[in-house]
Amino acid sequence: NVESVTLLCSLFGADMADRGKGKIMNISSLGAFIPDPWFNVYGPSKAFELFLTLAMQGEMDNTGVSMTVLCPGPMKTNWAANAGKADSKTACDPADIAVKGYEAMQMGELVCIPGKMYHFEKAALRLLPYGAQVKIIKIWQKILINRNK
């Protein structure tokens, strides 16, 4: 989530800038915005992808290259099961997320968070102190882990 995305963005971004056109979409996660107990490597690596994309957009200004970062919330895949927890009740269809991400990239949108509910959750959590955020996410993760047992 860090080394390969950095290398690929650097290589393809430079080539696209030389040609004067291109679009790059990185796939991050809503987890980039939250302190997530038990996923304390995943979240920070997704935050890296988010901020890499934001910083690269600044570097790509006036080159004809646009950057988009897709930050979906939970999706209906086997990811949760592989992580030892149940799917979130708010999990979305990956095909819908892919379409929304593609549309955002085509429109030159910098950050795409598909779903109004996820925008609300992100905004609501940011109003809370970090300690409260950690406690809320910890409770939510425990519910998903216990639901899978």
Side-chain angles (χ1 to χ4, degrees):
N1 288 344
V2 174
E3 190 174 345
S4 60
V5 73
T6 303
L7 180 61
L8 291 170
C9 281
S10 176
L11 293 172
F12 285 102
D15 185 56
M16 290 177 187
D18 288 344
R19 288 183 308 175
K21 65 179 182 176
K23 297 178 185 299
I24 295 175
M25 181 192 303
N26 288 323
I27 311 301
S28 182
S29 167
L30 199 57
F33 300 98
I34 60 173
D36 199 346
W38 296 291
F39 296 94
N40 55 15
V41 173
Y42 177 80
S45 70
K46 291 301 181 177
F48 176 84
E49 292 172 346
L50 169 67
F51 285 98
L52 173 71
T53 305
L54 298 175
M56 282 192 68
Q57 180 59 49
E59 295 174 8
M60 294 293 176
D61 276 348
N62 303 314
T63 65
V65 178
S66 69
M67 301 293 298
T68 299
V69 61
L70 177 62
C71 300
M75 292 191 287
K76 295 175 185 172
T77 66
N78 62 353
W79 189 94
N82 289 340
K85 62 182 191 170
D87 274 339
S88 169
K89 290 182 181 181
T90 63
C92 296
D93 180 359
D96 293 339
I97 299 299
V99 168
K100 289 177 179 160
Y102 178 78
E103 290 171 348
M105 181 181 67
Q106 293 303 329
M107 294 184 334
E109 190 176 327
L110 181 55
V111 178
C112 175
I113 302 173
K116 292 180 194 232
M117 180 183 56
Y118 296 129
H119 280 278
F120 172 76
E121 288 175 7
K122 176 184 162 266
L125 279 171
R126 293 188 89 183
L127 296 174
L128 299 172
Y130 290 119
Q133 291 179 35
V134 171
K135 287 178 184 176
I136 289 168
I137 299 300
K138 183 177 179 179
I139 291 167
W140 180 62
Q141 290 292 10
K142 278 187 174 181
I143 289 168
L144 293 177
I145 290 167
N146 289 333
R147 192 184 306 154
N148 197 43
K149 292 182 180 180

